[in-house]
């Protein structure tokens, strides 16, 4: 379908590929390879940095280092214990995740650790009162996939809601980041 602004309606038809594509959503490798084979290297925004690569990339930039929260790959519940005792609040994030999906906040509460996360569009909490319970909760929450664990930051809030800023990398017309 192609939008016709004169008629203010969509028209059905068969149309040629555009001379460039700006990706705004996921696309499998087969489809991406197809478009590149037809229109050349004119598919923009076709690469996503995962969170670990982005961290390493930013960390290599000396001027950014003071502003980067400590981050490590999550390998066990022990990592959560170490980081939460060091920073009181940490965020555990899927390395490949986007838009806050799958993020878990873990923080000291009383003599234990409180895990806070969203599941099925609802806020959920798990309280782990001992180190063994923290390890069991970590095993249940992070049983598959790669995660990073990141130093918690003091967020800005506006009207009682947390405000965060995201870094989005895009290529320019010369195919440079």
């Amino acid at each position: 379908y192609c939008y016709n602004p004169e008629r203010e309606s969509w028209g059905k038809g068969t149309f040629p590929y555009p001379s460039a594509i700006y990706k705004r959503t996921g696309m499998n490798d087969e489809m991406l390879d197809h478009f590149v084979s037809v229109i050349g290297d004119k598919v923009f925004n076709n690469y996503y940095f995962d969170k670990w690569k982005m961290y390493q990339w930013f960390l290599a930039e000396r001027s950014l280092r003071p502003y980067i929260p400590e981050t490590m790959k999550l390998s066990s519940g022990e990592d959560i214990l170490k980081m939460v005792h060091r920073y009181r609040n940490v965020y555990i994030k899927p390395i490949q995740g986007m838009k806050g999906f799958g993020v878990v906040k873990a923080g000291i509460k009383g003599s234990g650790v409180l895990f806070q996360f969203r599941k099925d569009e609802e806020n959920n909490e798990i309280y782990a009162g001992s180190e063994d319970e923290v390890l069991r909760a970590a095993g249940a929450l992070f049983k598959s996939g790669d995660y990073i664990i990141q130093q918690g930051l003091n967020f800005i809030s506006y009207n009682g809601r947390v405000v965060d800023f995201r870094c989005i990398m895009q290529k320019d017309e010369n195919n440079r980041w």
Side-chain angles (χ1 to χ4, degrees):
Y1 288 85
C2 180
Y3 186 73
N4 183 333
E6 292 174 3
R7 293 185 179 173
E8 296 183 356
S9 64
W10 291 90
K12 187 175 183 177
T14 302
F15 305 98
Y17 287 150
S19 58
I21 295 174
Y22 181 84
K23 265 185 61 196
R24 291 184 45 145
T25 186
M27 181 185 301
N28 67 41
D29 290 341
E30 183 180 339
M31 187 62 73
L32 180 61
D33 290 344
H34 169 74
F35 284 126
V36 169
S37 74
V38 174
I39 67 171
D41 193 22
K42 296 178 183 171
V43 179
F44 295 90
N45 202 33
N46 63 334
Y47 182 80
Y48 292 106
F49 291 100
D50 68 38
K51 289 178 181 68
W52 184 246
K53 286 180 188 170
M54 183 72 73
Y55 171 74
Q56 292 174 317
W57 193 44
F58 284 166
L59 205 58
E61 188 64 40
R62 186 179 306 264
S63 63
L64 294 178
R65 281 187 204 151
Y67 308 104
I68 308 292
E70 182 181 350
T71 303
M72 64 187 293
K73 277 191 172 182
L74 179 64
S75 60
S76 72
E78 299 288 342
D79 294 334
I80 296 171
L81 286 169
K82 181 170 68 174
M83 291 281 282
V84 83
H85 286 300
R86 184 178 300 157
Y87 297 110
R88 301 202 50 82
N89 288 302
V90 297
Y91 290 88
I92 301 124
K93 305 173 181 182
I95 287 177
Q96 296 292 337
M98 293 175 64
K99 299 181 181 178
F101 293 111
V103 173
V104 176
K105 179 182 180 182
I108 298 290
K109 182 163 184 167
S111 61
V113 174
L114 180 65
F115 293 91
Q116 297 173 297
F117 56 97
R118 287 192 57 83
K119 184 177 180 183
D120 301 326
E121 298 185 29
E122 292 185 11
N123 293 332
N124 290 273
E125 294 183 345
I126 296 174
Y127 180 74
S130 69
E131 288 190 4
D132 285 340
E133 288 179 14
V134 169
L135 298 177
R136 278 195 297 277
L141 288 168
F142 312 110
K143 55 185 157 209
S144 65
D146 291 327
Y147 292 85
I148 59 168
I149 181 167
Q150 196 167 59
Q151 170 187 354
L153 302 174
N154 295 322
F155 287 111
I156 300 168
S157 64
Y158 179 77
N159 287 340
R161 298 192 60 163
V162 171
V163 177
D164 68 347
F165 299 91
R166 298 170 188 271
C167 175
I168 299 172
M169 298 293 296
Q170 298 183 29
K171 288 184 178 180
D172 65 12
E173 68 278 3
N174 297 312
N175 213 20
R176 292 182 309 222
W177 291 107

